[in-house]
Amino acid sequence: MRLGLLQLRRARRRTSVLIATVVALTALVLLVSTISSTLFTSLAGAVDSMRADVVVLTSAAQGTVQASRVGRDTVDEVARVDGVQRVAPVGETRVTVVLEDQRLDASLFGIDPQGPGGPTDLVAGRLPASPTEALADDADARRGVTLGSHLEVVGADTALEVVGLTNGARFGGVVTLYAPYRTWQDVLTALFPDATEIRPSLIAVEGTAGTDPEQLAARITATVDGVAASTPATAAMHLPGLTGIRDSFRLIGLIAAGAALVLIGAFWSLVTAQQERSLAALRATGVATAALVRALLVQVVVVVGTGVAVAGALLWFGGRQAPPAFPLTPEPTEVVMVGLALLAGGVAAALPATVRLVRIDPVTALARSER
């Protein structure tokens, strides 16, 4: 290990340039990954994190929550399907809310706080216990939506107090609120007084113990006419446009990661070739091949590890400067996973240099260098 660190220290300029390049490429990988996950959570987190085994929309909506309206008879039919233990209607609509004289676009969900359909991750506060209480997502804290905030729904004469905070449960990229289903009905009645019936957007289903959600979703789709059932994760992935967005960002991330690994592999192959004479001299003086291989791997780990750490810190700082409407926050687990993947890939990319190092013959290398 000391030998590897010594080699890095003796070539400070070369090491600095390599680390800077790895930082840039790693930051790009992390940025793309963070934007992708943030977009998905911001646009579809409410569906993906829904506390339900299965969600049911009308088949005519083609996966669009805003276009789905489920009739009362359909709710009853779904409740009678074999394997269904409990169902709850869930409503969603776009509204404008006022927070301290600031008008904000919001997605208002109507849920049964004690039943299926609400967000799974409550990180602060409690569930709504009255018609004037609601949950909000902690990602909107930078917009002023925090515990104790009071928001007035424009056009509905309804004021909601935030009594709990969720995580990863936004919808449509706007402020997301979860109120009791009856409150949601009252809001829609006030906004659309001519409507003859207020229908929920979807049905949240809780299956009986031991029931496979995928099989239950297929059974509901086959049994009840005019509906499409799926797990929350599948429903979120099939929201319009999300698949293309995630695939595009994944491709960019893979290209950046591939460029970083190619750079690492090419760099150490070149360095090993340039240091062939000094490495041969070390071998000739009795330094074991295993020690030289360890020194090379230590250099790879130090350079990639430093690059990931600096890139993660830069991304965290940059996320703090992101606009409140798009809270760009890198997840520590995501940074660690990307770092481990790049570290493993970096070690693998350095294998050709390792093989070249193992094959160095002291006598031949020294004789070639004296010509």
Side-chain angles (χ1 to χ4, degrees):
M1 181 173 178
R2 291 180 59 187
L3 178 59
L5 296 176
L6 179 61
Q7 289 176 323
L8 287 176
R9 193 160 53 244
R10 291 182 62 184
R12 293 179 180 178
R13 180 178 300 179
R14 183 184 65 199
T15 302
S16 299
V17 171
L18 179 61
I19 290 178
T21 306
V22 172
V23 166
L25 292 173
T26 304
L28 178 60
V29 175
L30 290 174
L31 179 62
V32 169
S33 177
T34 301
I35 291 177
S36 177
S37 60
T38 301
L39 270 176
F40 180 78
T41 302
S42 183
L43 296 175
V47 177
D48 185 56
S49 65
M50 188 169 289
R51 189 175 64 249
D53 294 320
V54 174
V55 294
V56 182
L57 290 82
T58 57
S59 55
Q62 298 183 341
T64 305
V65 174
Q66 296 92 329
S68 177
R69 287 293 180 262
V70 183
R72 180 70 254 178
D73 293 341
T74 302
V75 177
D76 295 336
E77 288 184 57
V78 171
R80 291 193 293 267
V81 174
D82 183 41
V84 173
Q85 179 173 330
R86 188 166 51 156
V87 301
V90 176
E92 190 279 334
T93 192
R94 294 299 172 87
V95 296
T96 300
V97 297
V98 176
L99 172 64
E100 299 177 354
D101 298 327
Q102 179 186 10
R103 296 169 72 95
L104 302 171
D105 293 328
S107 174
L108 178 63
F109 277 81
I111 62 170
D112 176 0
Q114 305 301 327
T120 57
D121 195 2
L122 186 66
V123 296
R126 57 177 174 81
L127 295 173
S130 76
T132 60
E133 296 178 341
L135 302 176
D137 195 84
D138 63 354
D140 292 311
R142 290 176 59 191
R143 309 191 75 176
V145 184
T146 58
L147 282 177
S149 296
H150 290 81
L151 303 99
E152 182 180 348
V153 182
V154 176
D157 193 25
T158 299
L160 298 172
E161 179 186 0
V162 177
V163 297
L165 296 177
T166 65
N167 179 261
R170 296 180 90 212
F171 188 72
V174 296
V175 172
T176 305
L177 302 171
Y178 295 85
Y181 185 76
R182 181 63 189 176
T183 301
W184 178 82
Q185 286 183 312
D186 293 341
V187 169
L188 256 68
T189 300
L191 294 177
F192 306 101
D194 296 331
T196 57
E197 182 183 5
I198 303 299
R199 295 184 175 187
S201 305
L202 56 92
I203 307 169
V205 178
E206 179 182 318
T208 56
T211 301
D212 180 77
E214 294 283 357
Q215 295 180 1
L216 180 58
R219 190 180 307 131
I220 292 173
T221 302
T223 304
V224 182
D225 292 333
V227 302
S230 59
T231 62
T234 301
M237 284 298 300
H238 286 87
L239 288 174
L242 278 184
T243 301
I245 291 174
R246 297 203 75 177
D247 289 346
S248 298
F249 277 104
R250 283 175 178 171
L251 179 59
I252 296 172
L254 287 174
I255 292 174
L261 298 181
V262 169
L263 172 70
I264 292 170
F267 175 83
W268 263 287
S269 291
L270 179 61
V271 168
T272 303
Q274 291 178 340
Q275 294 181 341
E276 187 172 13
R277 181 180 180 183
S278 59
L279 293 174
L282 290 173
R283 288 279 305 278
T285 57
V287 177
T289 303
L292 296 178
V293 171
R294 282 197 302 270
L296 175 63
L297 296 181
V298 164
Q299 294 177 63
V300 174
V301 171
V302 169
V303 169
V304 176
T306 303
V308 171
V310 174
L314 290 175
L315 184 59
W316 180 86
F317 178 78
R320 306 302 296 177
Q321 313 307 314
F326 190 74
L328 188 64
T329 305
E331 293 291 336
T333 54
E334 191 171 354
V335 174
V336 170
M337 291 299 293
V338 171
L340 291 177
L342 288 175
L343 188 59
V347 172
L351 285 179
T354 305
V355 173
R356 185 185 185 96
L357 177 62
V358 171
R359 292 179 176 176
I360 290 178
D361 178 63
V363 176
T364 304
L366 290 173
R368 187 185 300 125
S369 65
E370 292 176 353
R371 291 176 185 173

